[in-house]
Each structure stands twice: as C-alpha cells, then as structure tokens.
Amino acid sequence: SEAESARSIVARYTQTWKYKVMASAKDTIVQTHSRIKMSLIVLLIFGTIGFFILDVVLFNNLAIKNVFLISTSGSLRSKVVAIAYLFRSKMVEAHHNDHEKMHHIAVQIREIADDIRLEHAHDYQQAYGATLDYFQTPHSPTQAVYGSEWVEEELSYWAAVNLFARWASAASTISMSDLNDPDFTLERMPETKKYIASMYQNVWRHVLPQIED
C-alpha cells in the first residue's frame, strides 16, 4: 500500500543517518571511558609499587629496626637497674661479712656489665638516621670523680652507657673493708669506691633517662 511504501522509505532513510545522531558525543564517551580504564590501570600499577615499597623498604627495614631498638632499650634499662641493685646487695653482704656472697655478686655484676657493652655496641651498629644522631650526641652532663674532685663532662649517649658499664665492672672488685668504711672523703676514697660514687651519681639522673628517651 501507499502508506507502507512511505513507512519503508522513512525507515530506509532513518537507517542511513541514525548512526550519526550524537555521534560526536558517543565518541567522547568512548574516549572518556578508555581514559578512565587506563587511569585505573596506572593507579593499580603505582599502588602495587607503592605497597611493595611500604612493605619491603619501610616495614621490613625501618619499622622492624625501630621495634628492635625499642625492645633492646628496654633490656638495656633492666640491666642498668639490676647493676644498681646488685651493688646495694654487695654492700649488705659486706656488712654481714659474707665473702662468698660478695664474690658471687661481683661475678654477676661483671657479666651484666659485659652484656651491656655488647648490647649497646649491637644497637649502635643497627642505628641509622635520627637514632644514630642520638647515639652520637650529648644529652645530659655526666658527673664523675677524678682524683679528689667531681668533674662534669658532656658525653654522647654511646660514651655515657659504655662508661657506666666500665665503672660497674671495675667497681665490682671493691673489697669488704672499703665497702664497710663510712669515709666518703674524695681524697681518701679508693678508685673502686670512686667508681661506685660516679655510678650512683649518674645512673638515675643521666644514664637511665637517656636510655628511656
């Protein structure tokens, strides 16, 4: 029929240009979609690289080392405190004239002092960046007996802990008579007693605060 012929003509005509309707907009949408997919792929790649860096470099190298240093500083602190209390026990045993217990305590003190030196050296070797700077920088004045007077020194954290360990090891050999002697006059004190005086002058004020920082 004539009506069907007209519809056929319109249909054929429509088929020839329907793909051009909003063709530019369609191309823009397709391009935008492609860009979005590429951006997501790039983000995924960079995200994977970033996660790898954070996991391997920051966590495995930095975080684990920081946790290690925190744990070792706690161990170092307990050993320093142990030495302070062992010297107190040595004084008590000297008061009771117990040579055997004094000797046993002296051995303990030297063993712990050696452990402090080894642990401190190991921590120093593991240190880097700000932690290494902390080891090499003075933070609190150290007061020690030299001759017949107190001398104040600016020692690095590294040197202060090693000096404390040296004092403890040297003072462990103090005799019973020197421990029982109530005379603390600097001019008449033996070297071992001066080491004990220097140790107690610094352990609570200067050594432990640096370890805890």
Side-chain angles (χ1 to χ4, degrees), residues 19 21-31:
Y19 297 106
V21 176
M22 300 185 68
S24 59
K26 178 183 175 183
D27 292 340
T28 302
I29 292 171
V30 171
Q31 291 174 4

Side-chain angles (χ1 to χ4, degrees), residues 56-69:
V56 174
V57 178
L58 293 181
F59 180 75
N60 286 339
N61 293 337
L62 304 184
I64 289 178
K65 283 185 179 179
N66 285 337
V67 170
F68 170 78
L69 290 173

Side-chain angles (χ1 to χ4, degrees), residues 4 35 53 63 65 81 83 98 102 111 127 140 142 145 168 181:
E4 290 179 353
R35 291 193 188 104
I53 293 173
K65 283 185 179 179
V81 171
I83 282 182
D98 194 326
M102 280 187 64
E111 288 177 350
S140 181
T142 300
V145 180
D181 186 357

Side-chain angles (χ1 to χ4, degrees), residues 84-98:
Y85 280 103
L86 281 170
F87 269 104
R88 178 185 177 279
S89 298
K90 191 176 176 72
M91 288 174 147
V92 172
E93 300 307 331
H95 178 72
H96 292 295
N97 297 316
D98 194 326

Side-chain angles (χ1 to χ4, degrees), residues 1-191:
S1 65
E2 186 176 346
E4 290 179 353
S5 299
R7 284 197 297 270
S8 298
I9 293 171
V10 171
R12 286 195 299 272
Y13 178 70
T14 302
Q15 290 292 329
T16 59
W17 56 262
K18 70 176 182 178
Y19 297 106
K20 297 182 179 180
V21 176
M22 300 185 68
S24 59
K26 178 183 175 183
D27 292 340
T28 302
I29 292 171
V30 171
Q31 291 174 4
T32 302
H33 183 66
S34 299
R35 291 193 188 104
I36 291 173
K37 288 198 295 185
M38 289 300 298
S39 299
L40 289 174
I41 293 172
V42 171
L43 285 174
L44 181 62
I45 293 171
F46 279 102
T48 303
I49 294 171
F51 177 80
F52 177 80
I53 293 173
L54 288 173
D55 181 57
V56 174
V57 178
L58 293 181
F59 180 75
N60 286 339
N61 293 337
L62 304 184
I64 289 178
K65 283 185 179 179
N66 285 337
V67 170
F68 170 78
L69 290 173
I70 290 170
S71 64
T72 53
S73 65
S75 172
L76 197 64
R77 181 187 186 281
S78 65
K79 289 173 182 175
V80 168
V81 171
I83 282 182
Y85 280 103
L86 281 170
F87 269 104
R88 178 185 177 279
S89 298
K90 191 176 176 72
M91 288 174 147
V92 172
E93 300 307 331
H95 178 72
H96 292 295
N97 297 316
D98 194 326
H99 288 277
E100 185 177 348
K101 287 186 178 179
M102 280 187 64
H103 173 72
H104 178 68
I105 292 171
V107 171
Q108 284 184 284
I109 290 171
R110 287 193 291 273
E111 288 177 350
I112 295 175
D114 288 341
D115 286 345
I116 288 174
R117 279 193 290 264
L118 290 173
E119 188 172 319
H120 194 50
H122 186 257
D123 291 349
Y124 182 74
Q125 292 170 354
Q126 295 291 316
Y128 59 91
T131 305
L132 181 59
D133 292 339
Y134 187 85
F135 268 90
Q136 297 173 339
T137 305
H139 302 281
S140 181
T142 300
Q143 298 163 337
V145 180
Y146 290 102
S148 59
E149 61 182 6
W150 285 96
V151 177
E152 188 170 281
E153 298 178 292
E154 292 289 336
L155 300 178
S156 66
Y157 171 57
W158 161 253
V161 174
N162 281 322
L163 182 59
F164 174 84
R166 185 173 67 81
W167 282 336
S169 185
S172 67
T173 61
I174 190 169
S175 67
M176 181 182 290
S177 59
D178 286 336
L179 274 178
N180 285 326
D181 186 357
D183 186 2
F184 280 85
T185 306
L186 294 182
E187 291 83 357
R188 292 190 289 272
M189 284 169 56
E191 288 300 310

